[in-house]
Amino acid sequence: MNVTPGAPSVPMRVLHNEARDAMLIGYTEGDPLREVSRFEMDPRRDLEANLEEVFEALNEPGPRLAQFDAVRRYRAERHRSLSKGDVLFYGELAYAVAGAGFVRVYPTRESITFR
């Protein structure tokens, strides 16, 4: 989210889960996903730290995170907060927001509506 120009980066894509019960039961294989945001992350940081930062930034960002362009764009586009069942693609690896933390998932290309 805070990548210095010219520094290494990895793409992060944020997908909202559009299944009716996703916020209750989490991600289920085949759930319809809609890409709502994308930006770059620093791959030199721990994966879990990057995922947690995105979750925090797209829910209740404090002053440190609210300053980032990606967060301002996300809010300006009036997206809802990240919830259980939503998916974050870190490069080619997908992680669903779980009740606590994240779980590795394998969504199909057919289940995703791209931005």
Side-chain angles (χ1 to χ4, degrees):
M1 198 158 260
N2 186 19
V3 178
T4 306
S9 67
V10 64
M12 177 71 79
R13 296 182 319 167
V14 178
L15 294 89
H16 282 173
N17 191 326
E18 297 186 321
R20 199 175 75 185
D21 56 357
M23 289 184 198
L24 296 173
I25 64 170
Y27 175 82
T28 303
E29 187 176 331
D31 279 355
L33 303 170
R34 181 174 51 89
E35 184 177 313
V36 295
S37 185
R38 61 173 57 196
F39 42 86
E40 298 295 314
M41 298 295 292
D42 186 342
R44 297 169 294 188
R45 292 183 62 211
D46 177 68
L47 169 65
E48 188 75 20
N50 275 333
L51 294 173
E52 289 290 346
E53 180 177 79
V54 171
F55 183 81
E56 179 185 348
L58 302 184
N59 280 288
E60 293 296 326
R64 182 181 69 77
L65 296 175
Q67 68 179 326
F68 295 130
D69 289 338
V71 175
R72 286 197 295 258
R73 274 193 317 272
Y74 189 84
R75 290 292 167 218
E77 293 172 0
R78 304 185 59 80
H79 294 302
R80 63 169 172 75
S81 294
L82 282 189
S83 298
K84 185 176 176 181
D86 290 337
V87 174
L88 300 174
F89 266 91
Y90 182 78
E92 298 298 318
L93 304 175
Y95 297 87
V97 177
F102 303 88
V103 62
R104 179 87 162 86
V105 295
Y106 304 88
T108 63
R109 187 168 184 79
E110 295 78 30
S111 67
I112 300 171
T113 301
F114 291 94
R115 210 173 146 93

